[in-house]
């Protein structure tokens, strides 16, 4: 039971370090446009979604859809570990098994899917690279935590290294969130 509180604190930090991207939840900036046809005086109201999208807008919407698909795996990983942050000698093994069998495989799939997303727009690609870096760093933290609880004696050095990775990953993800929000607003979408 030595330093269980430190282990619990570190695990709660890593488990809260996942990215929360409101993928797929964007709103149109322009409400409606009125169009008058040449054949008479009839008017139609067209939503922006029905209008022609620019290449950057379409790329962004495709990007958000791809993030939404990848986010399923991130959510599975976070759900598996979310409520189990206090580590004792009696639950250390179950936490190890949760990390090994559910959290790490799902988060690995999430990071793999992020790497496969290739935005066409150079600015969006730079922003996306921050998400990949931050998420990969979070994955490394999960792996360090798994190693830390893999033996009967908890390895506090690995826990500290995992905590450092969590901090670095969280910083990159927070910067990504700011940048993607600014990019979306530039295109006329609201988060």
């Amino acid at each position: 039971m030595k330093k269980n509180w430190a282990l619990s604190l570190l695990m709660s930090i890593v488990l809260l370090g996942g990215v929360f991207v409101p993928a797929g939840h964007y709103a149109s900036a322009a409400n409606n446009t009125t169009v008058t046809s040449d054949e008479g005086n009839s008017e139609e109201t067209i939503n922006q979604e029905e209008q022609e999208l620019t290449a950057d807008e379409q790329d962004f919407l495709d990007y958000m859809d791809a993030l939404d698909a990848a986010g399923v795996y991130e959510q599975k990983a976070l759900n598996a570990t979310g409520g189990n942050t206090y580590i004792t000698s009696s639950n250390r093994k179950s936490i190890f098994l949760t990390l090994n069998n559910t959290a790490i495989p799902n988060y690995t799939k999430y990071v793999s899917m992020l790497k496969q997303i290739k935005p066409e727009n150079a600015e969006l690609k730079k922003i996306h690279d921050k998400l990949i870096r931050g998420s990969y760093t979070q994955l490394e933290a999960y792996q360090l935590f798994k190693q830390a609880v893999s033996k009967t004696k908890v390895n506090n050095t690995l826990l500290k290294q995992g905590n450092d990775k969590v901090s670095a990953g969280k910083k990159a993800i927070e910067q990504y969130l700011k940048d993607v929000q600014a990019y979306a607003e530039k295109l006329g979408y609201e988060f």
Side-chain angles (χ1 to χ4, degrees), residues 26-43:
Y26 34 85
S28 171
N31 293 334
N32 294 318
T33 304
T34 302
V35 176
T36 305
S37 69
D38 291 336
E39 300 173 34
N41 292 331
S42 67
E43 292 185 356

Side-chain angles (χ1 to χ4, degrees), residues 62-79:
D62 292 343
Y63 172 73
M64 295 305 285
D65 288 341
L67 279 183
D68 204 25
V72 170
Y73 294 100
E74 178 197 29
Q75 195 60 48
K76 285 180 183 178
L78 295 176
N79 287 344

Side-chain angles (χ1 to χ4, degrees), residues 22-95:
H25 300 286
Y26 34 85
S28 171
N31 293 334
N32 294 318
T33 304
T34 302
V35 176
T36 305
S37 69
D38 291 336
E39 300 173 34
N41 292 331
S42 67
E43 292 185 356
E44 298 178 26
T45 303
I46 302 173
N47 290 329
Q48 182 182 3
E49 289 83 14
E50 295 172 357
Q51 294 177 3
E52 191 77 22
L53 295 175
T54 67
D56 288 345
E57 290 171 334
Q58 187 61 51
D59 187 35
F60 181 71
L61 293 177
D62 292 343
Y63 172 73
M64 295 305 285
D65 288 341
L67 279 183
D68 204 25
V72 170
Y73 294 100
E74 178 197 29
Q75 195 60 48
K76 285 180 183 178
L78 295 176
N79 287 344
T81 56
N84 200 6
T85 59
Y86 186 74
I87 298 173
T88 64
S89 58
S90 62
N91 72 357
R92 177 204 55 80
K93 186 175 181 179
S94 68
I95 290 175

